[in-house]
Amino acid sequence: MSTNNGYILVEQSLNLSGTASLLGAKNAALPIMASLILTSGKSVLYNVPNSADIKEMIELLEDLGAKIDFDKEKNILEFDGSFINKAEVKHEVMDKMRASILVMGPLLSRFKKARAAFPGGCLIGARPIDFHLKGFESLGVKITNDSEFIYATIDGQLKEERKIVLEYPSVGATENLVMFAVLQAGVTKIINAALEPEVLDFLEVLKKMGANISFEIPATIIITGVKKLNSVSHTIIPDRLEAGALLLAAAITGGNIELPDARPDHMDLFLEKLKQMGHEINIGFNNLSSNKNIKTGVKLIATKSQRAVNIKTCPYPGFPTDLQAPIMAALCLANGVSVVEETVFENRLMHVKELEKMGAQISVKNNKATVNGVDHLYGASVIASDIRASAALVLAGLAAKGKTQVFGINHWRRGYDKLEDKLINLGAKIEIINN
Ligand code: UD1
């Protein structure tokens, strides 16, 4: 496990309070950046977080031949895909970021062939790409492999009507398959598609480019191929996962917070769970600048006595797996027993062991963690195993007596853009120590 040398030093910081702004969702920005491969000409994306995963995607796209100018302070990314001339995802890139597989669909569409290195193992589960590959095959793409690469090629004409039935509403597979289908003549249906807010933002971008995309209840995406897609200008939706971390920071420290840009309609169940824990939630006090019908804004006033709640992660609109670890940090200090069930990834309870080092009482059986709330957590030296575990451990550190060192800073950097500064503005004592 790579933990890098640096760590996040967190000191107990009670009553975190104030207002924070949100950046765009990394998980929307990544597929949207990949979709720009389908265009030539200049596109502009606003509200792109300057996180390490975004940097990896920029490097990957530049390696393919794209011209990119990223203003990291203003979070504006300018993209010109006119010179993309390669259709390959290398090992080094795939190992660093699994989301690299997302370029396969658009490359295949643009060049009629693409090759990608096999993805490496991943700490939060095997994270295979079989749904992506089976999906391509059911659209008529030929998939072969050798020991190093997976090759995808289109031989001749695809069928006019195509259907993919996903075994599971995989976010990445849905996005990859859509990017392939948008430029293929005829109609493609993706049944049991993922419909996370980030996927919908990505589909919105494709529609702005000129793609013909519609939906059928309950979860089918219908794509009618068009000949060409145009460059685009788009503001990425606010990150519900950054919002979740900030709301929990106020919740776990007994403070209060206002997030004017947060989209409550993207996190209904999460907000419901915060209410069940006893926190006061107010929503929808602002108009979205681009669409007056959408209300933004979430305020949380923390209870001083959190109640235990049960959580079961599911595809959207279920409870997001990416907020499972962060909310567990708060449940460690709630009154009573909470059962947290992880159903999306098979190995995503690695933060439990680290929370236990801080005094949490948790027992794990298969994919279920039973959390017995305790009165106090204590600072310790802990290791984050993925992006969201890093948030969970920082949150626990804010509430814990004494000082906590969170190693695995690379994960924090992969998922968040200066979230530590936002927490410091609310009163948190956090320092990034780079050894
Ligand atoms: C995306 C998010 C990630 C989030 C996850 C679930 C991005 C960049 N990342 O990841 O933050 O936690 O959705 O909401 O958007 N699976 C297979 N075969 C496949 C594909 C997936 O078995 O071909 C399994 C995975 O191992 C996992 C489940 O399906 O158990 C869901 O994965 P998926 O929705 O594809 O997640 P990602 O797109 O990788």
Side-chain angles (χ1 to χ4, degrees):
M1 181 194 312
S2 157
T3 53
N4 285 3
N5 291 325
Y7 60 89
I8 310 168
L9 180 63
V10 189
E11 257 185 76
Q12 189 182 45
S13 317
L14 299 180
N15 296 315
L16 292 191
S17 297
T19 300
S21 60
L22 300 174
L23 275 167
K26 160 189 94 77
N27 286 353
L30 288 173
I32 289 171
M33 287 165 72
S35 75
L36 297 177
I37 291 176
L38 297 164
T39 64
S40 23
K42 287 188 182 150
S43 290
V44 189
L45 300 177
Y46 299 93
N47 218 15
V48 178
N50 177 27
S51 63
D53 272 7
I54 297 292
K55 261 184 246 161
E56 297 293 346
M57 186 56 100
I58 290 175
E59 278 174 28
L60 164 56
L61 293 168
E62 283 178 339
D63 182 56
L64 299 176
K67 300 261 175 290
I68 298 178
D69 187 10
F70 184 30
D71 184 329
K72 297 174 182 134
E73 294 308 315
K74 296 197 177 120
N75 302 98
I76 300 174
L77 186 139
E78 291 175 340
F79 182 101
D80 186 347
S82 311
F83 306 101
I84 292 179
N85 57 4
K86 252 195 254 176
E88 172 186 307
V89 188
K90 293 181 190 149
H91 261 294
E92 309 87 271
V93 185
M94 188 66 100
D95 281 350
K96 275 197 227 153
M97 185 182 58
R98 256 191 94 270
S100 316
I101 192 68
L102 289 175
V103 301
M104 195 146 176
L107 286 177
L108 186 57
S109 195
R110 184 162 170 159
F111 295 106
K112 309 267 178 271
K113 61 177 186 185
R115 67 175 187 170
F118 277 106
C122 170
L123 287 176
I124 63 171
R127 300 190 93 175
I129 53 165
D130 52 329
F131 301 156
H132 300 240
L133 301 181
K134 275 187 213 153
F136 285 135
E137 278 180 325
S138 50
L139 294 183
V141 175
K142 193 169 148 209
I143 303 284
T144 53
N145 70 277
D146 57 24
S147 56
E148 241 185 303
F149 283 102
I150 300 157
Y151 300 84
T153 42
I154 308 175
D155 283 342
Q157 284 293 107
L158 301 181
K159 278 191 290 181
E160 271 292 298
E161 291 207 0
R162 301 170 291 265
K163 183 169 102 173
I164 306 162
V165 185
L166 287 174
E167 274 178 52
Y168 188 87
S170 155
V171 169
T174 301
E175 293 163 342
N176 220 347
L177 295 165
V178 168
M179 285 188 275
F180 173 65
V182 278
L183 285 175
Q184 309 308 319
V187 177
T188 307
K189 283 191 175 189
I190 305 178
I191 290 153
N192 197 21
L195 294 171
E196 266 63 8
E198 294 78 15
V199 180
L200 297 184
D201 198 38
F202 153 83
L203 293 174
E204 194 52 41
V205 171
L206 287 169
K207 284 200 214 169
K208 281 190 190 173
M209 290 176 184
N212 184 339
I213 297 174
S214 57
F215 301 92
E216 232 169 47
I217 290 170
T220 298
I221 301 176
I222 303 167
I223 304 136
T224 307
V226 294
K227 286 219 162 64
K228 185 175 175 292
L229 293 173
N230 303 311
S231 53
V232 75
S233 163
H234 184 74
T235 303
I236 310 283
I237 50 165
D239 193 339
R240 62 189 169 120
L241 306 174
E242 186 188 29
L246 286 162
L247 290 168
L248 284 165
I252 201 170
T253 62
N256 62 76
I257 190 166
E258 187 171 331
L259 303 175
D261 334 304
R263 288 279 301 263
D265 57 327
H266 289 172
M267 39 190 190
D268 286 307
L269 187 50
F270 174 66
L271 295 178
E272 198 52 39
K273 289 291 168 184
L274 289 175
K275 279 190 216 162
Q276 287 174 15
M277 289 172 77
H279 302 295
E280 189 183 324
I281 302 283
N282 294 303
I283 59 163
F285 37 87
N286 291 320
N287 281 319
L288 189 71
S289 54
S290 58
N291 181 346
K292 297 282 175 263
N293 295 324
I294 298 177
K295 298 279 183 204
T296 69
V298 177
K299 262 186 219 170
L300 177 144
I301 302 170
T303 172
K304 301 287 174 201
S305 164
Q306 302 185 97
R307 291 191 290 269
V309 298
N310 294 337
I311 303 284
K312 181 176 178 175
T313 66
C314 288
Y316 188 81
F319 192 93
T321 173
D322 286 345
L323 286 173
Q324 178 259 109
I327 203 166
M328 191 188 291
L331 295 176
C332 290
L333 289 164
N335 294 318
V337 179
S338 309
V339 178
V340 178
E341 187 178 353
E342 173 58 54
T343 76
V344 179
F345 289 103
E346 76 270 30
N347 190 18
R348 206 179 202 183
L349 291 172
M350 291 178 68
H351 42 284
V352 165
K353 198 164 47 74
E354 306 306 309
L355 290 168
E356 282 175 333
K357 290 182 190 162
M358 301 178 73
Q361 285 191 11
I362 308 172
S363 61
V364 174
K365 198 165 177 210
N366 302 323
N367 63 337
K368 269 190 199 164
T370 303
V371 184
N372 271 288
V374 292
D375 289 340
H376 300 288
L377 292 175
Y378 300 91
S381 184
V382 290
I383 302 174
S385 50
D386 73 39
I387 296 176
R388 310 307 165 188
S390 74
L393 295 171
V394 167
L395 290 169
L398 291 170
K401 287 176 183 277
K403 293 185 182 180
T404 300
Q405 294 171 305
V406 181
F407 288 86
I409 198 168
N410 50 320
H411 295 297
W412 177 261
R413 290 272 179 254
R414 280 187 53 207
Y416 305 104
D417 176 2
K418 299 191 218 72
L419 179 55
E420 63 273 19
D421 290 348
K422 295 184 186 179
L423 292 168
I424 290 166
N425 274 338
L426 300 172
K429 289 175 228 149
I430 296 186
E431 211 182 324
I432 304 283
I433 311 285
N434 287 304
N435 282 343

